[in-house]
PDB file of all heavy atoms in Angstrom:
ATOM      1  N   SER A   1       0.853  -1.124   0.036  1.00 92.00           N
ATOM      2  CA  SER A   1      -0.021   0.035   0.016  1.00 92.00           C
ATOM      3  C   SER A   1       0.879   1.251   0.020  1.00 92.00           C
ATOM      4  O   SER A   1       0.589   2.266  -0.717  1.00 92.00           O
ATOM      5  CB  SER A   1      -0.891  -0.070   1.285  1.00 92.00           C
ATOM      6  OG  SER A   1      -1.864  -1.094   1.181  1.00 92.00           O
ATOM      7  N   GLU A   2       1.930   1.184   0.809  1.00 91.00           N
ATOM      8  CA  GLU A   2       2.900   2.411   0.801  1.00 91.00           C
ATOM      9  C   GLU A   2       3.485   2.594  -0.482  1.00 91.00           C
ATOM     10  O   GLU A   2       3.617   3.833  -1.002  1.00 91.00           O
ATOM     11  CB  GLU A   2       3.941   2.130   1.880  1.00 91.00           C
ATOM     12  CG  GLU A   2       4.972   3.178   1.995  1.00 91.00           C
ATOM     13  CD  GLU A   2       6.094   2.898   2.982  1.00 91.00           C
ATOM     14  OE1 GLU A   2       6.093   1.726   3.588  1.00 91.00           O
ATOM     15  OE2 GLU A   2       6.972   3.668   3.148  1.00 91.00           O
ATOM     16  N   ILE A   3       3.947   1.552  -1.162  1.00 89.00           N
ATOM     17  CA  ILE A   3       4.556   1.685  -2.446  1.00 89.00           C
ATOM     18  C   ILE A   3       3.589   2.179  -3.527  1.00 89.00           C
ATOM     19  O   ILE A   3       3.831   3.217  -4.227  1.00 89.00           O
ATOM     20  CB  ILE A   3       5.069   0.273  -2.926  1.00 89.00           C
ATOM     21  CG1 ILE A   3       6.276  -0.130  -2.059  1.00 89.00           C
ATOM     22  CG2 ILE A   3       5.475   0.346  -4.539  1.00 89.00           C
ATOM     23  CD1 ILE A   3       6.742  -1.596  -2.333  1.00 89.00           C
ATOM     24  N   LEU A   4       2.351   1.736  -3.467  1.00 87.00           N
ATOM     25  CA  LEU A   4       1.360   2.150  -4.443  1.00 87.00           C
ATOM     26  C   LEU A   4       0.934   3.618  -4.164  1.00 87.00           C
ATOM     27  O   LEU A   4       0.681   4.352  -5.158  1.00 87.00           O
ATOM     28  CB  LEU A   4       0.179   1.226  -4.377  1.00 87.00           C
ATOM     29  CG  LEU A   4       0.348  -0.098  -5.019  1.00 87.00           C
ATOM     30  CD1 LEU A   4      -0.821  -1.080  -4.727  1.00 87.00           C
ATOM     31  CD2 LEU A   4       0.456   0.051  -6.591  1.00 87.00           C
ATOM     32  N   ASN A   5       0.707   3.930  -2.952  1.00 86.00           N
ATOM     33  CA  ASN A   5       0.347   5.316  -2.524  1.00 86.00           C
ATOM     34  C   ASN A   5       1.481   6.278  -3.008  1.00 86.00           C
ATOM     35  O   ASN A   5       1.231   7.338  -3.596  1.00 86.00           O
ATOM     36  CB  ASN A   5       0.157   5.428  -1.124  1.00 86.00           C
ATOM     37  CG  ASN A   5      -1.119   4.814  -0.629  1.00 86.00           C
ATOM     38  OD1 ASN A   5      -2.114   4.731  -1.369  1.00 86.00           O
ATOM     39  ND2 ASN A   5      -1.233   4.589   0.668  1.00 86.00           N
ATOM     40  N   THR A   6       2.739   5.869  -2.914  1.00 81.00           N
ATOM     41  CA  THR A   6       3.834   6.732  -3.261  1.00 81.00           C
ATOM     42  C   THR A   6       3.859   6.833  -4.821  1.00 81.00           C
ATOM     43  O   THR A   6       4.063   7.985  -5.432  1.00 81.00           O
ATOM     44  CB  THR A   6       5.146   6.120  -2.815  1.00 81.00           C
ATOM     45  OG1 THR A   6       5.149   6.140  -1.459  1.00 81.00           O
ATOM     46  CG2 THR A   6       6.320   7.030  -3.289  1.00 81.00           C
ATOM     47  N   GLN A   7       3.743   5.729  -5.549  1.00 75.00           N
ATOM     48  CA  GLN A   7       3.872   5.685  -6.962  1.00 75.00           C
ATOM     49  C   GLN A   7       2.718   6.379  -7.681  1.00 75.00           C
ATOM     50  O   GLN A   7       2.848   6.966  -8.715  1.00 75.00           O
ATOM     51  CB  GLN A   7       4.051   4.253  -7.530  1.00 75.00           C
ATOM     52  CG  GLN A   7       5.108   3.429  -6.801  1.00 75.00           C
ATOM     53  CD  GLN A   7       6.440   4.130  -6.838  1.00 75.00           C
ATOM     54  OE1 GLN A   7       6.769   4.856  -7.744  1.00 75.00           O
ATOM     55  NE2 GLN A   7       7.150   3.957  -5.805  1.00 75.00           N
ATOM     56  N   MET A   8       1.467   6.348  -7.105  1.00 71.00           N
ATOM     57  CA  MET A   8       0.327   6.896  -7.634  1.00 71.00           C
ATOM     58  C   MET A   8       0.058   8.357  -7.228  1.00 71.00           C
ATOM     59  O   MET A   8      -0.888   8.934  -7.685  1.00 71.00           O
ATOM     60  CB  MET A   8      -0.898   6.047  -7.313  1.00 71.00           C
ATOM     61  CG  MET A   8      -0.811   4.586  -7.739  1.00 71.00           C
ATOM     62  SD  MET A   8      -0.508   4.340  -9.447  1.00 71.00           S
ATOM     63  CE  MET A   8      -2.079   5.022 -10.204  1.00 71.00           C
ATOM     64  N   TYR A   9       1.005   8.896  -6.379  1.00 66.00           N
ATOM     65  CA  TYR A   9       0.733  10.209  -5.925  1.00 66.00           C
ATOM     66  C   TYR A   9      -0.562  10.452  -5.161  1.00 66.00           C
ATOM     67  O   TYR A   9      -1.138  11.552  -5.244  1.00 66.00           O
ATOM     68  CB  TYR A   9       0.865  11.208  -7.000  1.00 66.00           C
ATOM     69  CG  TYR A   9       2.288  11.425  -7.634  1.00 66.00           C
ATOM     70  CD1 TYR A   9       2.384  11.755  -8.937  1.00 66.00           C
ATOM     71  CD2 TYR A   9       3.368  11.416  -6.815  1.00 66.00           C
ATOM     72  CE1 TYR A   9       3.623  11.893  -9.587  1.00 66.00           C
ATOM     73  CE2 TYR A   9       4.638  11.584  -7.401  1.00 66.00           C
ATOM     74  CZ  TYR A   9       4.727  11.835  -8.810  1.00 66.00           C
ATOM     75  OH  TYR A   9       5.993  11.923  -9.417  1.00 66.00           O
ATOM     76  N   GLN A  10      -1.120   9.402  -4.661  1.00 72.00           N
ATOM     77  CA  GLN A  10      -2.367   9.487  -3.879  1.00 72.00           C
ATOM     78  C   GLN A  10      -2.282   8.642  -2.582  1.00 72.00           C
ATOM     79  O   GLN A  10      -1.592   7.544  -2.557  1.00 72.00           O
ATOM     80  CB  GLN A  10      -3.496   8.931  -4.774  1.00 72.00           C
ATOM     81  CG  GLN A  10      -3.679   9.702  -6.109  1.00 72.00           C
ATOM     82  CD  GLN A  10      -4.745   9.069  -6.886  1.00 72.00           C
ATOM     83  OE1 GLN A  10      -5.961   9.086  -6.466  1.00 72.00           O
ATOM     84  NE2 GLN A  10      -4.447   8.514  -8.030  1.00 72.00           N
ATOM     85  N   ASN A  11      -3.087   9.038  -1.584  1.00 76.00           N
ATOM     86  CA  ASN A  11      -3.169   8.216  -0.378  1.00 76.00           C
ATOM     87  C   ASN A  11      -4.470   7.447  -0.409  1.00 76.00           C
ATOM     88  O   ASN A  11      -5.424   7.743   0.261  1.00 76.00           O
ATOM     89  CB  ASN A  11      -3.039   9.145   0.864  1.00 76.00           C
ATOM     90  CG  ASN A  11      -2.924   8.304   2.079  1.00 76.00           C
ATOM     91  OD1 ASN A  11      -2.452   7.168   2.102  1.00 76.00           O
ATOM     92  ND2 ASN A  11      -3.407   8.886   3.266  1.00 76.00           N
ATOM     93  N   ILE A  12      -4.578   6.431  -1.385  1.00 77.00           N
ATOM     94  CA  ILE A  12      -5.831   5.808  -1.647  1.00 77.00           C
ATOM     95  C   ILE A  12      -5.967   4.468  -0.939  1.00 77.00           C
ATOM     96  O   ILE A  12      -7.029   3.878  -0.829  1.00 77.00           O
ATOM     97  CB  ILE A  12      -5.997   5.647  -3.084  1.00 77.00           C
ATOM     98  CG1 ILE A  12      -4.773   5.064  -3.740  1.00 77.00           C
ATOM     99  CG2 ILE A  12      -6.354   6.887  -3.794  1.00 77.00           C
ATOM    100  CD1 ILE A  12      -4.809   4.794  -5.187  1.00 77.00           C
ATOM    101  N   LEU A  13      -4.794   3.973  -0.439  1.00 83.00           N
ATOM    102  CA  LEU A  13      -4.909   2.656   0.247  1.00 83.00           C
ATOM    103  C   LEU A  13      -4.490   2.838   1.759  1.00 83.00           C
ATOM    104  O   LEU A  13      -3.373   3.251   2.109  1.00 83.00           O
ATOM    105  CB  LEU A  13      -3.902   1.670  -0.445  1.00 83.00           C
ATOM    106  CG  LEU A  13      -4.366   1.262  -1.785  1.00 83.00           C
ATOM    107  CD1 LEU A  13      -3.123   0.568  -2.500  1.00 83.00           C
ATOM    108  CD2 LEU A  13      -5.540   0.303  -1.696  1.00 83.00           C
ATOM    109  N   PRO A  14      -5.476   2.409   2.633  1.00 84.00           N
ATOM    110  CA  PRO A  14      -5.202   2.772   4.043  1.00 84.00           C
ATOM    111  C   PRO A  14      -4.267   1.723   4.644  1.00 84.00           C
ATOM    112  O   PRO A  14      -4.252   0.545   4.216  1.00 84.00           O
ATOM    113  CB  PRO A  14      -6.615   2.626   4.718  1.00 84.00           C
ATOM    114  CG  PRO A  14      -7.275   1.675   3.818  1.00 84.00           C
ATOM    115  CD  PRO A  14      -6.804   2.017   2.423  1.00 84.00           C
ATOM    116  N   ALA A  15      -3.619   2.061   5.742  1.00 89.00           N
ATOM    117  CA  ALA A  15      -2.814   1.108   6.502  1.00 89.00           C
ATOM    118  C   ALA A  15      -3.805   0.279   7.329  1.00 89.00           C
ATOM    119  O   ALA A  15      -4.864   0.742   7.655  1.00 89.00           O
ATOM    120  CB  ALA A  15      -1.788   1.859   7.367  1.00 89.00           C
ATOM    121  N   VAL A  16      -3.357  -0.980   7.469  1.00 94.00           N
ATOM    122  CA  VAL A  16      -4.198  -1.839   8.237  1.00 94.00           C
ATOM    123  C   VAL A  16      -3.392  -2.548   9.310  1.00 94.00           C
ATOM    124  O   VAL A  16      -2.229  -2.866   9.046  1.00 94.00           O
ATOM    125  CB  VAL A  16      -4.897  -2.843   7.320  1.00 94.00           C
ATOM    126  CG1 VAL A  16      -3.988  -3.697   6.570  1.00 94.00           C
ATOM    127  CG2 VAL A  16      -5.908  -3.708   8.033  1.00 94.00           C
ATOM    128  N   SER A  17      -3.988  -2.789  10.430  1.00 95.00           N
ATOM    129  CA  SER A  17      -3.156  -3.381  11.517  1.00 95.00           C
ATOM    130  C   SER A  17      -3.892  -4.641  12.031  1.00 95.00           C
ATOM    131  O   SER A  17      -5.099  -4.809  12.125  1.00 95.00           O
ATOM    132  CB  SER A  17      -3.058  -2.361  12.664  1.00 95.00           C
ATOM    133  OG  SER A  17      -2.407  -1.135  12.302  1.00 95.00           O
ATOM    134  N   ALA A  18      -3.034  -5.582  12.530  1.00 97.00           N
ATOM    135  CA  ALA A  18      -3.500  -6.804  13.141  1.00 97.00           C
ATOM    136  C   ALA A  18      -4.113  -6.332  14.476  1.00 97.00           C
ATOM    137  O   ALA A  18      -3.635  -5.501  15.124  1.00 97.00           O
ATOM    138  CB  ALA A  18      -2.411  -7.875  13.306  1.00 97.00           C
ATOM    139  N   ASN A  19      -5.143  -7.107  14.876  1.00 97.00           N
ATOM    140  CA  ASN A  19      -5.883  -6.789  16.159  1.00 97.00           C
ATOM    141  C   ASN A  19      -5.901  -7.973  17.026  1.00 97.00           C
ATOM    142  O   ASN A  19      -6.574  -9.036  16.685  1.00 97.00           O
ATOM    143  CB  ASN A  19      -7.322  -6.340  15.814  1.00 97.00           C
ATOM    144  CG  ASN A  19      -8.025  -5.796  17.043  1.00 97.00           C
ATOM    145  OD1 ASN A  19      -7.664  -6.097  18.197  1.00 97.00           O
ATOM    146  ND2 ASN A  19      -9.042  -5.011  16.876  1.00 97.00           N
ATOM    147  N   ASP A  20      -5.129  -7.943  18.160  1.00 95.00           N
ATOM    148  CA  ASP A  20      -5.034  -9.035  19.118  1.00 95.00           C
ATOM    149  C   ASP A  20      -6.450  -9.451  19.663  1.00 95.00           C
ATOM    150  O   ASP A  20      -6.598 -10.555  20.284  1.00 95.00           O
ATOM    151  CB  ASP A  20      -4.064  -8.832  20.053  1.00 95.00           C
ATOM    152  CG  ASP A  20      -2.663  -8.970  19.730  1.00 95.00           C
ATOM    153  OD1 ASP A  20      -2.409  -9.498  18.628  1.00 95.00           O
ATOM    154  OD2 ASP A  20      -1.684  -8.503  20.387  1.00 95.00           O
ATOM    155  N   SER A  21      -7.376  -8.462  19.625  1.00 96.00           N
ATOM    156  CA  SER A  21      -8.776  -8.714  20.234  1.00 96.00           C
ATOM    157  C   SER A  21      -9.723  -9.283  19.255  1.00 96.00           C
ATOM    158  O   SER A  21     -10.811  -9.572  19.538  1.00 96.00           O
ATOM    159  CB  SER A  21      -9.295  -7.435  20.820  1.00 96.00           C
ATOM    160  OG  SER A  21      -8.442  -6.819  21.794  1.00 96.00           O
ATOM    161  N   GLU A  22      -9.259  -9.542  18.057  1.00 97.00           N
ATOM    162  CA  GLU A  22     -10.104 -10.240  16.991  1.00 97.00           C
ATOM    163  C   GLU A  22      -9.605 -11.673  16.776  1.00 97.00           C
ATOM    164  O   GLU A  22      -8.415 -11.981  17.134  1.00 97.00           O
ATOM    165  CB  GLU A  22      -9.965  -9.514  15.684  1.00 97.00           C
ATOM    166  CG  GLU A  22     -10.613  -8.125  15.737  1.00 97.00           C
ATOM    167  CD  GLU A  22     -10.632  -7.306  14.329  1.00 97.00           C
ATOM    168  OE1 GLU A  22      -9.904  -7.922  13.474  1.00 97.00           O
ATOM    169  OE2 GLU A  22     -11.403  -6.427  14.181  1.00 97.00           O
ATOM    170  N   SER A  23     -10.517 -12.532  16.360  1.00 96.00           N
ATOM    171  CA  SER A  23     -10.131 -13.846  15.957  1.00 96.00           C
ATOM    172  C   SER A  23      -9.270 -14.000  14.880  1.00 96.00           C
ATOM    173  O   SER A  23      -8.946 -13.018  14.124  1.00 96.00           O
ATOM    174  CB  SER A  23     -11.410 -14.637  15.731  1.00 96.00           C
ATOM    175  OG  SER A  23     -11.994 -14.323  14.447  1.00 96.00           O
ATOM    176  N   ILE A  24      -8.566 -15.065  14.724  1.00 96.00           N
ATOM    177  CA  ILE A  24      -7.694 -15.391  13.560  1.00 96.00           C
ATOM    178  C   ILE A  24      -8.463 -15.103  12.246  1.00 96.00           C
ATOM    179  O   ILE A  24      -7.907 -14.508  11.334  1.00 96.00           O
ATOM    180  CB  ILE A  24      -7.173 -16.768  13.638  1.00 96.00           C
ATOM    181  CG1 ILE A  24      -6.218 -16.986  14.805  1.00 96.00           C
ATOM    182  CG2 ILE A  24      -6.423 -17.145  12.279  1.00 96.00           C
ATOM    183  CD1 ILE A  24      -5.854 -18.421  15.139  1.00 96.00           C
ATOM    184  N   GLU A  25      -9.630 -15.656  12.220  1.00 97.00           N
ATOM    185  CA  GLU A  25     -10.373 -15.504  11.066  1.00 97.00           C
ATOM    186  C   GLU A  25     -10.799 -14.101  10.675  1.00 97.00           C
ATOM    187  O   GLU A  25     -10.682 -13.619   9.591  1.00 97.00           O
ATOM    188  CB  GLU A  25     -11.778 -16.305  11.160  1.00 97.00           C
ATOM    189  CG  GLU A  25     -12.660 -16.318   9.963  1.00 97.00           C
ATOM    190  CD  GLU A  25     -13.933 -17.084  10.191  1.00 97.00           C
ATOM    191  OE1 GLU A  25     -13.902 -18.179  10.742  1.00 97.00           O
ATOM    192  OE2 GLU A  25     -15.044 -16.535   9.874  1.00 97.00           O
ATOM    193  N   GLN A  26     -11.118 -13.334  11.757  1.00 97.00           N
ATOM    194  CA  GLN A  26     -11.538 -11.887  11.492  1.00 97.00           C
ATOM    195  C   GLN A  26     -10.274 -11.093  11.047  1.00 97.00           C
ATOM    196  O   GLN A  26     -10.514 -10.233  10.149  1.00 97.00           O
ATOM    197  CB  GLN A  26     -12.064 -11.234  12.814  1.00 97.00           C
ATOM    198  CG  GLN A  26     -13.426 -11.801  13.222  1.00 97.00           C
ATOM    199  CD  GLN A  26     -13.790 -11.342  14.634  1.00 97.00           C
ATOM    200  OE1 GLN A  26     -12.943 -11.335  15.488  1.00 97.00           O
ATOM    201  NE2 GLN A  26     -15.032 -10.836  14.764  1.00 97.00           N
ATOM    202  N   ASN A  27      -9.159 -11.376  11.522  1.00 97.00           N
ATOM    203  CA  ASN A  27      -7.975 -10.641  11.092  1.00 97.00           C
ATOM    204  C   ASN A  27      -7.643 -11.020   9.627  1.00 97.00           C
ATOM    205  O   ASN A  27      -7.381 -10.114   8.758  1.00 97.00           O
ATOM    206  CB  ASN A  27      -6.808 -11.041  11.944  1.00 97.00           C
ATOM    207  CG  ASN A  27      -6.650 -10.090  13.192  1.00 97.00           C
ATOM    208  OD1 ASN A  27      -6.186  -9.046  13.122  1.00 97.00           O
ATOM    209  ND2 ASN A  27      -7.042 -10.753  14.277  1.00 97.00           N
ATOM    210  N   CYS A  28      -7.860 -12.207   9.245  1.00 97.00           N
ATOM    211  CA  CYS A  28      -7.599 -12.620   7.876  1.00 97.00           C
ATOM    212  C   CYS A  28      -8.572 -12.051   6.912  1.00 97.00           C
ATOM    213  O   CYS A  28      -8.255 -11.702   5.792  1.00 97.00           O
ATOM    214  CB  CYS A  28      -7.578 -14.152   7.749  1.00 97.00           C
ATOM    215  SG  CYS A  28      -6.129 -14.995   8.540  1.00 97.00           S
ATOM    216  N   VAL A  29      -9.885 -11.940   7.350  1.00 97.00           N
ATOM    217  CA  VAL A  29     -10.924 -11.270   6.547  1.00 97.00           C
ATOM    218  C   VAL A  29     -10.522  -9.871   6.267  1.00 97.00           C
ATOM    219  O   VAL A  29     -10.613  -9.409   5.163  1.00 97.00           O
ATOM    220  CB  VAL A  29     -12.270 -11.379   7.174  1.00 97.00           C
ATOM    221  CG1 VAL A  29     -13.228 -10.462   6.512  1.00 97.00           C
ATOM    222  CG2 VAL A  29     -12.745 -12.895   7.164  1.00 97.00           C
ATOM    223  N   ARG A  30     -10.007  -9.199   7.186  1.00 97.00           N
ATOM    224  CA  ARG A  30      -9.717  -7.734   7.125  1.00 97.00           C
ATOM    225  C   ARG A  30      -8.523  -7.498   6.221  1.00 97.00           C
ATOM    226  O   ARG A  30      -8.543  -6.560   5.324  1.00 97.00           O
ATOM    227  CB  ARG A  30      -9.474  -7.029   8.469  1.00 97.00           C
ATOM    228  CG  ARG A  30     -10.757  -6.784   9.242  1.00 97.00           C
ATOM    229  CD  ARG A  30     -10.530  -5.843  10.401  1.00 97.00           C
ATOM    230  NE  ARG A  30      -9.467  -6.268  11.275  1.00 97.00           N
ATOM    231  CZ  ARG A  30      -8.215  -5.692  11.334  1.00 97.00           C
ATOM    232  NH1 ARG A  30      -7.874  -4.660  10.566  1.00 97.00           N
ATOM    233  NH2 ARG A  30      -7.418  -6.182  12.256  1.00 97.00           N
ATOM    234  N   VAL A  31      -7.466  -8.292   6.329  1.00 97.00           N
ATOM    235  CA  VAL A  31      -6.311  -8.082   5.474  1.00 97.00           C
ATOM    236  C   VAL A  31      -6.621  -8.492   4.021  1.00 97.00           C
ATOM    237  O   VAL A  31      -6.141  -7.960   3.113  1.00 97.00           O
ATOM    238  CB  VAL A  31      -5.171  -8.802   6.051  1.00 97.00           C
ATOM    239  CG1 VAL A  31      -5.186 -10.280   5.752  1.00 97.00           C
ATOM    240  CG2 VAL A  31      -3.808  -8.287   5.495  1.00 97.00           C
ATOM    241  N   ARG A  32      -7.498  -9.570   3.875  1.00 97.00           N
ATOM    242  CA  ARG A  32      -7.886  -9.957   2.550  1.00 97.00           C
ATOM    243  C   ARG A  32      -8.656  -8.830   1.884  1.00 97.00           C
ATOM    244  O   ARG A  32      -8.533  -8.685   0.637  1.00 97.00           O
ATOM    245  CB  ARG A  32      -8.805 -11.196   2.659  1.00 97.00           C
ATOM    246  CG  ARG A  32      -9.127 -11.804   1.318  1.00 97.00           C
ATOM    247  CD  ARG A  32     -10.069 -13.063   1.424  1.00 97.00           C
ATOM    248  NE  ARG A  32     -10.536 -13.481   0.206  1.00 97.00           N
ATOM    249  CZ  ARG A  32      -9.954 -14.421  -0.557  1.00 97.00           C
ATOM    250  NH1 ARG A  32      -8.969 -15.027  -0.063  1.00 97.00           N
ATOM    251  NH2 ARG A  32     -10.433 -14.699  -1.826  1.00 97.00           N
ATOM    252  N   HIS A  33      -9.492  -8.122   2.613  1.00 96.00           N
ATOM    253  CA  HIS A  33     -10.254  -6.984   2.050  1.00 96.00           C
ATOM    254  C   HIS A  33      -9.295  -5.939   1.426  1.00 96.00           C
ATOM    255  O   HIS A  33      -9.532  -5.429   0.317  1.00 96.00           O
ATOM    256  CB  HIS A  33     -11.186  -6.415   3.009  1.00 96.00           C
ATOM    257  CG  HIS A  33     -11.827  -5.186   2.625  1.00 96.00           C
ATOM    258  ND1 HIS A  33     -12.854  -5.262   1.685  1.00 96.00           N
ATOM    259  CD2 HIS A  33     -11.743  -3.860   2.954  1.00 96.00           C
ATOM    260  CE1 HIS A  33     -13.396  -4.085   1.396  1.00 96.00           C
ATOM    261  NE2 HIS A  33     -12.713  -3.154   2.160  1.00 96.00           N
ATOM    262  N   VAL A  34      -8.221  -5.590   2.151  1.00 95.00           N
ATOM    263  CA  VAL A  34      -7.308  -4.534   1.646  1.00 95.00           C
ATOM    264  C   VAL A  34      -6.590  -5.166   0.486  1.00 95.00           C
ATOM    265  O   VAL A  34      -6.221  -4.378  -0.539  1.00 95.00           O
ATOM    266  CB  VAL A  34      -6.352  -4.080   2.881  1.00 95.00           C
ATOM    267  CG1 VAL A  34      -5.392  -3.070   2.299  1.00 95.00           C
ATOM    268  CG2 VAL A  34      -7.136  -3.526   3.885  1.00 95.00           C
TER     269      VAL A  34
END
């Protein structure tokens, strides 16, 4: 996302963080979405 935002001159892809309070499945669903 950082590379693409830099190369496209836009901040169009948000950073995403793992969440210890979410299940393994929920974390994987979120990162898959990005």
Side-chain angles (χ1 to χ4, degrees):
S1 294
E2 179 186 1
I3 291 172
L4 285 167
N5 285 337
T6 299
Q7 307 309 324
M8 302 304 295
Y9 290 145
Q10 301 177 63
N11 188 25
I12 49 182
L13 292 167
V16 60
S17 300
N19 188 337
D20 283 345
S21 298
E22 291 182 346
S23 70
I24 294 170
E25 182 183 316
Q26 287 172 320
N27 274 283
C28 289
V29 167
R30 283 196 304 107
V31 77
R32 183 184 175 93
H33 175 69
V34 179

